[in-house]
Amino acid sequence: MGLRQVTVAYAPGKIILVGEHAVVYGRPAVAVPVTQVRAQATVGDAGKGQGITIVATDLGQRLLLRGEEGWPSEDPLATTVIATLKYVGLSLEQDLTITVKSDIPIARGLGSGAAVSTAMVRAVAAHFSRNLSPQEVSQLVYEAERLHHGTPSGIDNTVIAHERPVYFVQGQTPQTLAVGRTLRLLIGDTGEPSPTKAVVGAVRRQWRRSQGRYESIFDEIGEIALRVRRSLEEGDIAEMGRLMNENHQLLRELDLSSPLLDSLVTAARDGGALGAKLSGAGRGGNVIALVTEEVRPEVERALLSAGAERVIGTEVSPGREGSPSMEMSGKLARRDRRAV
Ligand code: MEV
């Protein structure tokens, strides 16, 4: 029996407060991490000459990568590992077992793919004692996101790698936000998939046909994101709720809602939510409702009786300020020696 190095790292889910889709067209969006669900990656040393095995328990996927040749270039998990090893200056000739698992529902706008990649980047880097800044992690995860989503804005990898509320504009340095007051959110899962790549593609086709109309709706959504940022920082949750409702209406005009999403939004508002909207790509996936402590149980009941498959509660609290670039991924990973 010997001791092998094992490194474990995690990453949360995410939810978009406002600005989805418009963010792909250069407008701002605001998103927050969802720490109640998470992805986990474990990296362990394997026997000499065994190469790299990636085991994705939930996806029933097992990949064996050996040597410098023949790595699957279109696989997001393999791409994440390759990009991380190269970035930290290591050869691909490693002997590792990498296991990933996640309790983040897949294809529901909760960033499951980006979270799995983030946990992998953190675990692989930490396994070799390399500390990466959230910005570096985010860049590496973006490579895998492109394989998942085609033309992602980059908001998922950004909010998950920083684990902070972010105000995001594509191509600009993301700004992490300090919330003025605790945000209580309920996420109602329709149980229906929201295939981001397909929905983003459908919006692109519509945009080509009616550019003027789409651009002006995107402008309105961008203005909402700007105002949500302000209300989030000031702790004005009543205003934020109103803005979320307005954003939902604009997403409906873009044909991104569905009868079930609309029912859940209505149920949440009738139950006392300050605001509710679909979140993520839409046509399935989730709604988010902004609630207070008092109305939370009633809104949760209303979402479930209107057909939500599950409801996830999350909170974003004030007081996590500071320079994200100073927070290294090494602190978010744990290294252990285990008997094998
Ligand atoms: C998906 O979480 C959000 C979208 O805006 C796509 C993107 O930003 O890449 C629909």
Side-chain angles (χ1 to χ4, degrees):
M1 192 144 65
L3 283 181
R4 289 212 181 134
Q5 187 72 48
V6 173
T7 310
V8 186
Y10 301 93
K14 74 99 211 326
I15 193 98
I16 295 183
L17 282 186
V18 285
E20 49 276 270
H21 287 289
V23 69
V24 177
Y25 296 80
R27 276 46 165 213
V30 180
V32 298
V34 177
T35 49
Q36 281 65 22
V37 286
R38 66 181 184 176
Q40 175 188 320
T42 306
V43 179
D45 292 334
K48 200 162 175 40
Q50 288 190 357
I52 301 175
T53 307
I54 304 176
V55 184
T57 329
D58 315 300
L59 302 173
Q61 199 181 335
R62 193 181 178 91
L63 286 170
L64 175 61
L65 314 166
R66 214 180 258 143
E68 296 276 348
E69 298 302 317
W71 288 57
S73 57
E74 293 301 307
D75 181 87
L77 301 180
T79 296
T80 303
V81 174
I82 296 167
T84 309
L85 287 172
K86 283 187 176 164
Y87 186 78
V88 299
L90 290 167
S91 103
L92 304 184
E93 309 250 8
Q94 305 291 335
D95 299 312
L96 300 169
T97 302
I98 303 173
T99 310
V100 293
K101 58 183 190 179
S102 164
D103 58 16
I104 306 173
I106 295 170
R108 300 289 205 285
L110 286 168
S112 62
V116 165
S117 293
T118 301
M120 284 177 101
V121 171
R122 286 175 173 165
V124 170
H127 194 71
F128 295 101
S129 306
R130 307 297 209 280
N131 280 339
L132 302 179
S133 70
Q135 195 52 34
E136 289 174 303
V137 173
S138 177
Q139 291 291 343
L140 290 166
V141 173
Y142 187 72
E143 297 302 310
E145 282 291 281
R146 281 171 33 175
L147 298 175
H148 278 300
H149 297 320
T151 53
S153 63
I155 191 167
D156 286 19
N157 46 289
T158 301
V159 66
I160 289 171
H162 285 81
E163 293 202 27
R164 307 270 173 85
V166 293
Y167 178 81
F168 178 86
V169 181
Q170 200 169 4
Q172 296 181 11
T173 307
Q175 299 172 40
T176 55
L177 302 175
V179 305
R181 178 173 163 183
T182 299
L183 283 190
R184 293 188 171 81
L185 298 165
L186 289 179
I187 301 165
D189 185 354
T190 59
E192 293 168 354
S194 168
T196 305
K197 194 172 182 172
V199 183
V200 168
V203 171
R204 175 72 65 186
R205 285 190 291 281
Q206 288 297 111
W207 172 82
R208 280 201 196 101
R209 264 184 233 125
S210 341
Q211 264 192 41
R213 180 166 164 263
Y214 270 62
E215 284 293 322
S216 98
I217 294 179
F218 291 151
D219 280 342
E220 284 186 66
I221 294 176
E223 187 56 36
I224 287 174
L226 201 63
R227 288 163 63 199
V228 160
R229 175 200 175 142
R230 205 173 308 133
S231 54
L232 187 110
E233 289 176 326
E234 289 169 359
D236 186 349
I237 57 170
E239 168 73 352
M240 197 183 310
R242 281 191 292 275
L243 292 166
M244 285 166 63
N245 289 342
E246 277 180 38
N247 193 172
H248 183 71
Q249 183 50 34
L250 293 166
L251 291 165
R252 291 187 77 222
E253 287 171 30
L254 295 175
D255 194 23
L256 291 166
S257 197
S258 71
L260 182 52
L261 285 166
D262 281 343
S263 304
L264 296 187
V265 163
T266 305
R269 290 178 192 158
D270 291 349
L274 299 167
K277 63 181 276 293
L278 74 85
S279 178
R283 296 193 178 163
N286 285 299
V287 302
I288 39 165
L290 180 63
V291 295
T292 58
E293 194 64 56
E294 296 70 46
V295 301
R296 184 195 155 127
E298 184 49 41
V299 176
E300 185 164 351
R301 258 193 303 276
L303 284 168
L304 289 169
S305 65
E309 197 169 75
R310 67 188 276 205
V311 176
I312 299 168
T314 191
E315 285 187 7
V316 184
S317 306
R320 292 202 63 211
E321 290 171 64
S323 163
S325 62
M326 298 303 290
E327 187 180 48
M328 295 298 180
S329 63
K331 285 191 197 157
L332 300 163
R334 199 186 66 231
R335 298 176 77 206
D336 264 333
R337 297 189 89 76
R338 284 189 196 159
V340 287

